[in-house]
Amino acid sequence: MDEYPIALTLINSPSHRTLPIGLALFIGAHTTAWGPFMAGSVIATVPLVIVYFVSQRWFRSGISLGGIR
C-alpha cells in the first residue's frame, strides 16, 4: 500500500510531513521549482545508496542463497 495518500490525509502539521509530501509541494499548478525538487530527491536518495553499498555483500549472499533452491 502506498503511504502518500495516507500521509496526505492524516498529517496536518507541516513539521510532521513525510518526504514525498514535502517534495510534492515543489510542484505547482503552473510551474515547478525543479532545482529544489531535484536537490530534495538527491538528499532523499543518497542515504539509501550509501546503506546499499555498505551492506552489499549481505544483499549478494541473500540473493545467491535464495536462487539455489
Side-chain angles (χ1 to χ4, degrees), residues 19-48:
L19 189 63
I21 301 290
L23 286 175
L25 293 175
F26 290 115
I27 300 172
H30 301 289
T31 184
T32 300
W34 287 109
F37 181 79
M38 291 299 165
S41 299
V42 168
I43 290 171
T45 305
V46 168
L48 297 173

Side-chain angles (χ1 to χ4, degrees), residues 37-62:
F37 181 79
M38 291 299 165
S41 299
V42 168
I43 290 171
T45 305
V46 168
L48 297 173
V49 170
I50 290 171
V51 167
Y52 173 75
F53 282 122
V54 167
S55 59
Q56 185 175 7
R57 70 178 127 153
W58 294 292
F59 279 114
R60 277 197 243 153
S61 68

Side-chain angles (χ1 to χ4, degrees), residues 61-69:
S61 68
I63 289 171
S64 64
L65 286 176
I68 292 174
R69 292 183 184 204

